[in-house]
Amino acid sequence: MTNIILLGPPGAGKGTQARHLVENRGMVQLSTGDMLREAQANGSEMGKKVADVIARGELVTDEIVIGLIREKIAEGAEGGFIFDGFPRTLGQADALGDLLAEMGLKLDAVIEMAVDDSALVARITGRSTCGGCGEVYHDQTKPWPADGKCSNCGSTDVKRRADDNEDSLKTRLMEYYKKTSPLLGYYYAKGQLQSVDGLQSMEAVAADIAAALD
Ligand code: ADP
Ligand code: ADP
Ligand code: ZN
């Protein structure tokens, strides 16, 4: 069982690679972004509370996301967890360490997905996901099949995120540099950081992550 963090700016390819690991290694993806969007879609109180913050591209409070992750870790995962988009602050990183220790689990690796900022606008503005299964598509690099049906589940429900625009991305990148990038030093100092070149093809990135884990 392997527990890993995928760390990188918005659009780095975390979700894409997390899905690959789920399919190939039976790991469980824990994406706080997906959980927050689900809470919004359900119309829950928490979902309403975070809607504006997410639309602006700012981070929601540590308390909220740590609560979400705590619930999921308690459910366990035989193949291990992939933390995707969490932790995003030093406070979240400390909390994750505590939660894993409580459950008798350890963190095996933190994979930095390094991508130039200049590539992120195109990554984000071209992104869509399948409403049926969550498969991640891109207008240029991974377009929807010509018949409009998801190659994974056959759904025709193309979803685009309201926060996937240039304005919000600017704020999200600023948040990343101010609050999340210190985690690179934090995990480097613990001897857990590994870096892969996220500008390569999806297949090459997947191969590098596999090599880092084996
Ligand atoms: P994140 O979860 O880090 O925000 P995603 O996995 O959603 O990133 O990827 C962002 C966009 O970039 C998606 O449209 C995805 O299809 C595309 N993408 C992901 N990895 C690559 C890659 N290696 N090369 C080109 N495009 C990619
Ligand atoms: P991306 O794919 O662009 O990296 P996510 O789906 O991970 O984006 O997150 C979308 C938004 O949800 C973030 O901009 C932020 O508002 C909120 N969010 C997600 N995860 C966290 C977290 N761990 N801490 C605080 N806010 C978060
Ligand atoms: Zn699908």
Side-chain angles (χ1 to χ4, degrees), residues 8-12 14 31-34 36-37 50 53-55 57-62 65 84-89 92 124 127 161 163-164 168-169 172:
K14 303 180 295 293
S31 159
T32 41
D34 285 349
L36 292 166
R37 281 184 288 279
V50 298
V53 177
I54 292 177
E58 293 165 10
L59 294 185
V60 310
T61 64
D62 285 355
V65 288
D84 161 12
F86 178 94
R88 265 175 150 97
T89 65
Q92 292 176 25
I124 290 288
R127 169 161 63 186
R161 282 168 47 179
D163 61 342
D164 275 351
S168 156
L169 177 63
R172 283 153 70 194

Side-chain angles (χ1 to χ4, degrees), residues 130-135 137 144 150-155:
C130 172
C133 70
E135 185 74 0
Y137 289 93
W144 278 74
C150 173
S151 53
N152 191 44
C153 77
S155 167

Side-chain angles (χ1 to χ4, degrees), residues 3 37 49 69 81 90 135 139 153 163 175 183 195 207:
N3 298 306
R37 281 184 288 279
K49 209 165 104 185
I69 287 287
F81 293 110
L90 291 167
E135 185 74 0
D139 296 343
C153 77
D163 61 342
E175 292 281 77
L183 300 189
S195 189

Side-chain angles (χ1 to χ4, degrees), residues 8-17 84 113 122-124 126-129 136-139 141-142 161 172 197-203 205:
K14 303 180 295 293
T16 299
Q17 296 301 330
D84 161 12
M113 306 192 54
R123 288 267 184 105
I124 290 288
R127 169 161 63 186
S128 63
T129 52
V136 187
Y137 289 93
H138 189 278
D139 296 343
T141 57
K142 189 180 171 181
R161 282 168 47 179
R172 283 153 70 194
D197 176 3
L199 284 172
Q200 307 172 89
S201 70
M202 295 175 201
E203 295 74 20
V205 175

Side-chain angles (χ1 to χ4, degrees), residues 43-138:
S44 74
E45 278 311 309
M46 186 271 279
K48 284 179 200 156
K49 209 165 104 185
V50 298
D52 289 343
V53 177
I54 292 177
R56 284 199 300 273
E58 293 165 10
L59 294 185
V60 310
T61 64
D62 285 355
E63 196 190 355
I64 289 178
V65 288
I66 291 166
L68 291 169
I69 287 287
R70 178 183 287 120
E71 276 176 36
K72 297 288 181 181
I73 289 183
E75 289 171 14
E78 239 172 74
F81 293 110
I82 307 155
F83 297 98
D84 161 12
F86 178 94
R88 265 175 150 97
T89 65
L90 291 167
Q92 292 176 25
D94 281 336
L96 177 61
D98 292 346
L99 286 173
L100 290 173
E102 270 170 39
M103 298 295 294
L105 301 173
K106 68 175 182 22
L107 191 60
D108 296 284
V110 178
I111 312 257
E112 175 197 8
M113 306 192 54
V115 175
D116 291 345
D117 286 1
S118 58
L120 296 177
V121 176
R123 288 267 184 105
I124 290 288
T125 55
R127 169 161 63 186
S128 63
T129 52
C130 172
C133 70
E135 185 74 0
V136 187
Y137 289 93
H138 189 278

Side-chain angles (χ1 to χ4, degrees), residues 132-193:
C133 70
E135 185 74 0
V136 187
Y137 289 93
H138 189 278
D139 296 343
Q140 277 82 43
T141 57
K142 189 180 171 181
W144 278 74
D147 63 3
K149 289 189 185 146
C150 173
S151 53
N152 191 44
C153 77
S155 167
T156 55
D157 183 12
V158 180
K159 283 208 152 41
R160 288 189 193 267
R161 282 168 47 179
D163 61 342
D164 275 351
N165 58 72
E166 267 189 68
D167 247 13
S168 156
L169 177 63
K170 269 187 201 144
T171 308
R172 283 153 70 194
L173 259 186
M174 196 58 80
E175 292 281 77
Y176 177 78
Y177 285 115
K178 278 199 296 203
K179 299 173 183 166
T180 308
S181 65
L183 300 189
L184 295 170
Y186 176 96
Y187 287 117
Y188 175 79
K190 288 175 178 277
Q192 291 177 309
L193 189 71

